[in-house]
Amino acid sequence: MAKEPEIIRDKDLMRSWSRTKRSQGKTLALVPTMGYLHQGHLSLIQEAQNLANITVVSIYVNPGQFSPSEDLATYPSDFHGDIQKLREAGVDAVFHPQNLYDYGCGGQTASGSFGNSGVVDGEERKVGSFETAEENPSGSFGNSGFVDGEERKVGSFETSEENPSESFGNLGFVDGGERKVGPSGRDGEDSSGNFGNLDADDRKDRKVVSCVEEKGGARSGHETWIRVERLERGLCGKSRPVFFRGVATVVAKLFNIVEPDVAVFGKKDYQQWRLIRRMVRDLDFGINVIGSEIVRETDGLAMSSRNVHLLPEEREKALSINKSLSKAKFAAQNGHTSCRELRNSVIQAIVAAGGKIDYAEIVDQESLEAVEEIRSPVVFCVAACFGKVRLIDNMEIYI
């Protein structure tokens, strides 16, 4: 099954390649990633291959979904390792752009460097699988803020995960003055230990910026953002107000460039999957957005590139997330449908194991609105920090 994928860095060449394949009567599936691939990503690719004739994997770390307080530049990267995995998986093409926010305006790119996306030696051309023009030893291509791995502090389109600091509040809020600090001295933490729960007036008066705006976005000319207003508010959106705006925008850009028939996302990032489905519905993209089930390690920990940052003892403690969610699901299916009781049981188990809760919410699967009693399909979503690693997980519950 192994074959050499075509590596395409220029968006016009990518669009032309896709249109040529479709003109031949072939269907295309896109799997968006940020690289540093693991078995979870490979399961998405396998799903995509079952749904279409041609499979394209994108590898792009999107600055539009990072706030300036998050460290975009140092996320782990293994581009050549990724290509080896994709070769063995039989992927047809890899879309690996340098900077999707550079419009040739002569301005500074979002990473703070001056780069030409898809341009090598003064001309536009496709770069082969291991051709390293423009590539530096870290595996990034001409931009110090872009690394060929998955999203720093979030996950490779596992996207809402890790934040380099232990604080989860007010990321991306810039107001020129002091930030709101909770009792622990960490931004956005309230007395209950929750993060980022600013009231409407606080949120309204602050400006949300990403690394694109902070580092040259205005000079590159980018000023258009997509908001899925209701679905982005809760869960990870509380502590990361810039995140889902950036995700929706970059996914729309990828859809317009690759023009797939099908796109596959992992349900581990449940909020992201639902948000993209809603965007596709509301903006009439002719794309079928598929959610693929969570892939877990043999001990039950949800697969994530974040897991490599866990110390052995932290990893053992992190198993409390899946264990407590599984117990809550079993309890709900056996008549214990009070969300308050189920939430408390999960929070207590994770805290007892040494974790710090960002959120633990039981929400409707479609609207993502919190429910008090389980009477219809819900999903129990959790974000918790072990050491400096923020992990997300969830479990769908049907009764």
Side-chain angles (χ1 to χ4, degrees):
M1 187 178 180
K3 66 178 178 181
E4 197 72 24
E6 294 197 52
I7 299 179
I8 306 171
R9 294 191 172 91
D10 178 74
K11 57 188 176 183
D12 292 327
L13 291 175
M14 182 70 251
R15 186 180 290 112
S16 176
W17 187 92
S18 294
R19 290 180 178 179
T20 297
K21 298 299 182 184
R22 296 185 72 179
S23 71
Q24 297 169 357
K26 296 178 179 178
T27 55
L28 270 71
L30 171 65
V31 180
T33 82
M34 299 216 189
Y36 210 64
L37 305 179
H38 54 66
Q39 188 58 43
H41 299 109
L42 300 181
S43 72
L44 303 182
I45 292 167
Q46 186 175 20
E47 180 80 9
Q49 290 171 330
N50 292 333
L51 297 169
N53 305 125
I54 300 292
T55 302
V56 177
V57 173
S58 63
I59 297 178
Y60 180 65
V61 180
N62 173 34
Q65 64 199 57
F66 291 89
S67 73
S69 63
E70 295 170 312
D71 190 355
L72 172 65
T74 60
Y75 192 79
S77 167
D78 184 15
F79 182 69
H80 294 300
D82 290 343
I83 293 301
Q84 179 61 33
K85 292 183 178 74
L86 296 176
R87 178 188 295 113
E88 293 172 357
V91 166
D92 297 282
V94 178
F95 180 45
H96 180 53
Q98 178 182 332
N99 181 9
L100 289 178
Y101 299 91
D102 181 2
Y103 304 108
C105 301
Q108 193 176 19
T109 67
S111 67
S113 64
F114 290 82
N116 293 308
S117 178
V119 177
V120 180
D121 294 334
E123 61 180 12
E124 290 188 352
R125 60 188 177 95
K126 265 187 285 193
V127 179
S129 299
F130 290 96
E131 185 169 352
T132 56
E134 296 186 40
E135 183 176 3
N136 64 34
S138 69
S140 64
F141 289 76
N143 286 303
S144 62
F146 292 84
V147 182
D148 299 326
E150 51 184 305
E151 179 185 353
R152 176 63 168 170
K153 316 314 172 198
V154 220
S156 88
F157 276 82
E158 297 162 343
T159 55
S160 27
E161 287 193 317
E162 186 181 346
N163 170 18
S165 69
E166 290 188 6
S167 120
F168 293 90
N170 302 335
L171 301 182
F173 285 134
V174 178
D175 58 8
E178 294 183 352
R179 295 172 182 261
K180 183 177 180 181
V181 179
S184 70
R186 288 183 286 178
D187 286 355
E189 184 178 4
D190 63 26
S191 58
S192 67
N194 293 320
F195 293 84
N197 296 323
L198 299 174
D199 59 37
D201 290 336
D202 288 324
R203 296 171 69 90
K204 178 172 60 177
D205 293 336
R206 294 166 185 256
K207 184 180 179 182
V208 179
V209 299
S210 71
C211 290
V212 171
E213 292 122 312
E214 181 79 358
K215 295 183 178 180
R219 281 169 292 208
S220 73
H222 186 86
E223 57 180 316
T224 303
W225 300 97
I226 295 176
R227 305 294 296 257
V228 184
E229 294 183 353
R230 190 176 70 218
L231 292 187
E232 73 174 29
R233 289 176 186 167
L235 304 175
C236 288
K238 287 183 179 179
S239 57
R240 307 201 67 214
V242 74
F243 176 69
F244 286 116
R245 180 192 74 161
V247 167
T249 301
V250 80
V251 170
K253 289 167 79 70
L254 290 171
F255 285 173
N256 284 330
I257 293 167
V258 180
E259 298 181 344
D261 300 285
V262 179
V264 183
F265 292 81
K267 283 189 180 181
K268 179 173 173 292
D269 299 280
Y270 199 90
Q271 185 176 14
Q272 173 183 274
W273 170 58
R274 286 296 185 186
L275 180 140
I276 296 302
R277 283 180 60 87
R278 186 64 52 83
M279 178 190 76
V280 164
R281 184 200 71 177
D282 291 354
L283 298 184
D284 293 311
F285 282 96
I287 300 170
N288 185 17
V289 178
I290 301 296
S292 186
E293 299 301 324
I294 296 174
V295 178
R296 299 184 180 276
E297 306 283 358
T298 55
D299 57 10
L301 187 66
M303 285 192 176
S304 168
S305 296
R306 305 277 72 69
N307 296 346
V308 301
H309 298 304
L310 291 165
L311 298 174
E313 60 271 23
E314 292 170 346
R315 193 187 186 288
E316 184 66 26
K317 293 175 180 179
L319 298 179
S320 61
I321 300 176
N322 178 55
K323 289 178 180 178
S324 60
L325 282 174
S326 297
K327 289 180 180 178
K329 180 177 181 178
F330 180 82
Q333 292 173 334
N334 285 274
H336 300 278
T337 57
S338 166
C339 292
R340 180 177 180 179
E341 293 178 4
L342 295 172
R343 289 181 64 252
N344 285 342
S345 69
V346 168
I347 291 170
Q348 289 170 8
I350 294 173
V351 171
K356 298 176 182 178
I357 296 289
D358 182 5
Y359 63 78
E361 299 287 347
I362 301 174
V363 299
D364 179 85
Q365 289 186 12
E366 292 285 341
S367 70
L368 301 186
E369 293 179 354
V371 300
E372 296 182 359
E373 193 82 16
I374 301 177
R375 297 189 179 91
S376 60
V378 297
V379 57
F380 199 151
C381 299
V382 170
C385 183
F386 288 86
K388 293 185 177 181
V389 183
R390 182 174 181 264
L391 302 172
I392 62 171
D393 201 347
N394 68 78
M395 220 165 260
E396 292 176 314
I397 300 174
Y398 300 87
I399 59 171

